[in-house]
Amino acid sequence: MKKLTVLLASAMMLMPSVAFANGNQESAKASNGPVELTLWHRWSGTNGDIVNELVDSFEQKNPDIKITVVPKPGEYVQLLQSMIADMAAGNNPPDLFIGGYNMLNYITRELHPTELKDLAPNKEALDAVKDRYLPSMYQITQIDGKQIGLPFALSNIMTYVNMDIFRQAGLTEADIPETWDDVIRVSRIIKEKTGKYAVSIQTPDTWSDSAMIYSLGGSLTNSEQTKVDLTNPACVQVLSMWQDLVKEGLHPNMTDQEAESAFVAGDVAMRFGSIMKVTSFYKQAKFDLKAEKFPVFPGHENKLPTGGSALISFSKDKAKKDAVWKFMDYATSKEGMTIFTKTGYLCVTKDKVPVSKGQEKAYEQMPQVVLWPNWPGGAAGMEIERLYLDARNSIIMQGAPVKESLQKCQDEANKLL
Amino acid sequence: MVCSRKQNELLLFCLFVSPALILFVLFKWWPILYSFFLSFMQWNFVTSKHFVGLANYIRLFSHQYFHKALGNTVLYILGMLPFFVVLPLFCALLLSYVVRKRLQSLFRALLFIPNILSFSIVCLVWMWMYHPGFGVFNSALALFGIAPVSWLNDTHTALASIVVVTGWKILGGNMLLYAAGLLMIPKSCIEAATIDGASQWSIFWHVKWPLLAPTTLYNLVTAVNYSTERVFIPINVLTQGGPDKATTNLAHMIYLFGFNFFNIGLASAAAIFTSLLFLVVTVAVMRGVGGFGYYEN
């Protein structure tokens, strides 16, 4: 009995040390071993494999640095949620974080990433990397006057066309829509001739909405970006048009995952979505696929929000900061971009890298690219995003009255500011 | 000497109990107390906490998500009842009449298999079955000339679709509980009723059903728990609470507040309210059924 008592007492004494053994990862780093970094991103499948290829290539050239890749498949907001939850659990933020451009305001103001000038070993090295970018591109990661990272992934919205369905409907490449009027006209022909859905627009966030609304001269906020403005004519017109597409049976009433899989399965003629999908679409599609420019509204020029993400670091330790800089330098070099652009994302730097099949038109659209608008209100913006997406889905999928729903959403959103 | 032995026993008692007690306090009571504390704070995980009094509770009760989530939770509870009580009991009774033991075991295993599958994988499989374009359900409807239904994206069908997925998964486990409950019923009670000339229905209604009360009570409480909390998995995988909040419930609402809006104070207030509601409903269920739940042989 005595032995048992001693055993139990020892186990209890050991318990706290076991429970908290993983508490501080920073101190767990071996002093003489390679510098260990963590890299968080949101990709899976082909794109996740390409990120691994980039990291492997970097590690071969830098055997003194070991990067643990942590994929968190989902949208950028979900990646951010995972990181914040991880930090709240007492873990250190990742050394390298590939965060969406539409999250940069929140990340900068709430999470305080390490500024680029504190990562670079000297001004010459910083300027050398800066020179790789067009000034307008480099400024994407400049928030409140601080350069908080490097632009890394770049995308814009495209029209993917199933040419087999077009041909079944008696249409040719010349009929691929250039304007939204064309989209409606061609969609009706496709529906009538094939019975298939003609068009689906990606819906998980405000990216497609922004592309259409801003291209039509509208906005999601007031000009000072202090209030939500959803009742401007362009906003109402775009959502009315989208609702009509669903009502006419031209656009499927499906979740976004379902709509994308329906397109890949050959059940939808056109899909408006990110160029970052181009590689996986070509891989999966069993039909003649073409990637074309996003349609314009007659009399307007397109303003397409920049999709993609930036390389950001939260490292504070000197050895880690040096290693992070080496990775950033490599990932944005010509060699790094050559590997990464195989995902379908476009090259963010001025380097000429091989153009993947389908990317040509996306590069042609680059002059029309604008910043992906953030909602005002910092943390409140997260709630506003959800309010808007609920209202928008209710309008386009459930047929809710457009003006009234937008007015209600706008009022509720502005109450949060 | 007697006193020393008592002290030793007390020490041993404490030593045996303390590992479980420490874990219970650490992982059950501490989070509850900390949530209660946070429900009076404004906090987003990264900034410092500010005391805001009852503001989070006031905001919660006027929040449009709260009203929808509460209403949906009630619908989930009602929707789950057939899968927690009616169908498992029916299956267990049917199986009890299968004479060949091997066949009985086979049927039980077949019904139980969904229970041991990963819920996320189950959801992904059902997502394909629900697909409006090439899902098996719409293909079946098409045979009768019925137009395709967008099961997960229509406010009229989305919640029911989630209930069916959840029900399919948990039916086998609940059936096993009822099967075990039926085995526990003393044969003498059934034999006595049979000798008295009772019909099969009378035997079920007057003998088996009352003696299955503990199982039924357990399943009712679990149904409330599932509807409030565990159904979060299919909600998050299949619809993320949409379309237009049609499938959100209290657990999903807490997740949204905490990990989507980063409003930990509001999420904590919602969690405290949900816990209290769950406690009240559980006590009401236990008392409402007239103390049934325990019986003595």
Side-chain angles (χ1 to χ4, degrees), chain B:
Chain B
M1 190 66 187
V2 174
C3 185
S4 166
R5 193 178 163 190
K6 271 191 177 174
Q7 278 178 341
N8 275 342
E9 279 178 357
L10 187 67
L11 179 69
L12 264 181
F13 169 78
C14 291
L15 280 171
F16 279 119
V17 167
S18 51
L21 195 66
I22 289 168
L23 290 175
F24 196 74
V25 169
L26 206 64
F27 295 110
K28 286 279 181 190
W29 282 104
W30 169 241
I32 292 171
L33 290 173
Y34 193 53
S35 272
F36 184 69
F37 163 75
L38 288 176
S39 70
F40 301 103
M41 298 287 157
Q42 187 182 33
W43 188 45
N44 68 354
F45 277 137
V46 283
T47 54
S48 54
K49 303 173 188 82
H50 296 288
F51 181 74
V52 291
L54 291 170
N56 287 324
Y57 287 94
I58 293 166
R59 175 132 199 257
L60 172 70
F61 295 130
S62 61
H63 204 290
Q64 54 169 315
Y65 264 99
F66 173 71
H67 300 129
K68 193 70 185 171
L70 188 61
N72 284 351
T73 303
V74 173
L75 292 178
Y76 277 117
I77 293 172
L78 295 175
M80 291 293 174
L81 286 180
F83 297 98
F84 274 84
V85 178
V86 184
L87 291 171
L89 178 59
F90 182 70
C91 292
L93 282 169
L94 275 186
L95 282 176
S96 70
Y97 289 111
V98 176
V99 182
R100 292 180 65 180
K101 288 289 169 197
R102 279 192 174 178
L103 210 56
Q104 198 181 53
S105 301
L106 177 72
F107 285 139
R108 271 187 197 157
L110 285 175
L111 279 166
F112 188 67
I113 282 171
N115 218 271
I116 55 172
L117 298 176
S118 151
F119 213 163
S120 303
I121 304 295
V122 165
C123 291
L124 289 175
V125 171
W126 276 81
M127 190 190 282
W128 285 103
M129 289 162 64
Y130 279 137
H131 195 287
F134 39 80
V136 66
F137 295 121
N138 279 351
S139 301
L141 289 181
L143 295 175
F144 301 99
I146 300 171
V149 178
S150 185
W151 300 99
L152 298 173
N153 206 36
D154 188 319
T155 47
H156 301 103
T157 55
L159 190 142
S161 302
I162 286 178
V163 167
V164 169
V165 177
T166 314
W168 177 81
K169 175 152 167 57
I170 45 91
L171 176 66
N174 295 326
M175 182 269 301
L176 275 191
L177 291 174
Y178 271 116
L182 286 169
L183 285 175
M184 292 291 287
I185 294 172
K187 280 186 179 166
S188 56
C189 296
I190 296 169
E191 282 168 2
T194 311
I195 290 166
D196 288 346
S199 64
Q200 285 296 321
W201 170 250
S202 292
I203 291 173
F204 167 72
W205 190 242
H206 296 293
V207 180
K208 290 181 179 175
W209 175 242
L211 292 177
L212 284 171
T215 312
T216 305
L217 176 67
Y218 174 80
N219 280 358
L220 282 173
V221 172
T222 319
V224 175
N225 183 19
Y226 245 90
S227 307
T228 314
E229 187 194 350
R230 302 264 185 96
V231 77
F232 171 82
I233 298 171
I235 293 174
N236 205 37
V237 174
L238 294 173
T239 62
Q240 294 87 47
D244 193 21
K245 305 184 275 296
T247 56
T248 193
N249 75 342
L250 288 170
H252 186 258
M253 178 193 72
I254 294 166
Y255 168 79
L256 270 187
F257 289 169
F259 297 100
N260 209 309
F261 306 163
F262 303 125
N263 192 337
I264 305 305
L266 187 61
S268 299
I272 294 296
F273 169 82
T274 304
S275 304
L276 289 175
L277 180 75
F278 181 59
L279 189 71
V280 169
V281 171
T282 305
V283 170
V285 168
M286 292 178 82
R287 291 200 174 167
V289 282
F292 102 8
Y294 298 97
Y295 67 95
E296 298 202 6
N297 286 324

Side-chain angles (χ1 to χ4, degrees), chain A residues 5 12 81 84 88 106 110-111 253-254 257-258 261 267 382-383 386-387 390 394 397-398 412 416, chain B residues 15 18 44-47 59 63-65 127 131-132 134 150 153 155 240 243 255 259-262:
Chain A
T5 311
M12 284 176 63
Q81 286 163 10
I84 291 176
Y106 184 87
E110 307 285 350
L111 304 177
N253 185 345
M254 296 180 187
Q257 278 174 312
E258 289 171 343
S261 58
D267 286 346
M382 301 287 183
E383 193 165 346
R386 184 79 191 192
L387 275 177
D390 277 347
S394 168
M397 300 297 182
Q398 316 300 332
E412 283 168 6
L416 298 171
Chain B
L15 280 171
S18 51
N44 68 354
F45 277 137
V46 283
T47 54
R59 175 132 199 257
H63 204 290
Q64 54 169 315
Y65 264 99
M127 190 190 282
H131 195 287
F134 39 80
S150 185
N153 206 36
T155 47
Q240 294 87 47
Y255 168 79
F259 297 100
N260 209 309
F261 306 163
F262 303 125

Side-chain angles (χ1 to χ4, degrees), chain A residues 64-133:
Chain A
D64 55 332
I65 301 170
K66 175 89 187 93
I67 299 179
T68 304
V69 179
V70 183
K72 299 276 178 184
E75 299 302 320
Y76 286 117
V77 69
Q78 288 159 336
L79 179 70
L80 182 64
Q81 286 163 10
S82 299
M83 185 183 71
I84 291 176
D86 200 56
M87 286 168 69
N91 292 317
N92 293 316
D95 302 297
L96 286 154
F97 182 77
I98 305 181
Y101 295 135
N102 59 330
M103 302 283 141
L104 294 185
N105 274 346
Y106 184 87
I107 290 170
T108 308
R109 287 166 195 169
E110 307 285 350
L111 304 177
H112 313 294
T114 307
E115 283 187 60
L116 211 59
K117 67 178 172 56
D118 298 328
L119 290 170
N122 52 53
K123 193 173 179 308
E124 289 72 32
L126 183 64
D127 287 344
V129 166
K130 185 180 174 183
D131 283 346
R132 292 175 186 165
Y133 292 87

